[in-house]
Amino acid sequence: MTDLTPSYAALPYYEGDDVYPVTRITAGAVGAPGKRTFFLQAFFGPEPFSWVIEKEQAMALSRAIPELLAEVRDEFPELGEPLVAAEPNLKLSEPLEPLFQVGSIGVGYDRLHDLVIFTLVDADALEGEAEEDQVDDDITEPTQHQVYTTRGQAKLLGEQAEKAVVAGRDLCPHCGGPMDDFGHFCLPSNARARRGGELMH
């Protein structure tokens, strides 16, 4: 723990055979539509830790997490379904002081501890590494934080990340679905009725 800054020292980590997962994790956005800043926020105890992420990264999380959980369920059926809180608190909390802008997010699974692992890599460190002309064994690894969550927490994070992305979109006046920046397509109302209300976007 000596190589960690005082603030980051409280984040989840491995210590021997013990793992300390987050107590809460969420995603959200602040600001006016079109100028929103997206955050990933985790709690270890009462203290929030935040990272700035891109809108595309939030959407990627909303897709990658369900895929990972489905793979875990298929490979380890004895684990059962993820346990989620009945009334989870998924709101961002102040202060929103990001540790860094995330350049990449890795999503993995630790079967031994039955935890989902999110690896957050500092965007500035990635850019610095890309500018190196030669690979040097002495080059330090990009700054990264690993966040450990239960499968239930990860499931809720994926759902919340999707809600955060959709919340900034205008709604279609015909079907009520969110419209993307590049446009929107939905079936006519009579076609939607024939398909039981299912929408095509």
Side-chain angles (χ1 to χ4, degrees), residues 1-14 143-146:
M1 297 294 291
T2 56
D3 60 329
L4 301 176
T5 63
S7 61
Y8 180 60
L11 274 171
Y13 63 95
Y14 277 105
T143 301
Q144 64 180 37
H145 295 166
Q146 288 188 316

Side-chain angles (χ1 to χ4, degrees), residues 3 8 20 24 34 39 53 72 77-78 82-83 91 107 110 123 141 146 159 168 170 172 180 187 197:
D3 60 329
Y8 180 60
Y20 300 86
R24 182 161 75 89
F39 290 90
I53 61 175
V72 171
E78 71 277 6
L83 299 177
K91 295 181 179 179
V107 183
D110 173 8
E141 291 295 321
Q146 288 188 316
E159 295 171 354
D170 294 329
C172 174
D180 293 311
L187 291 174

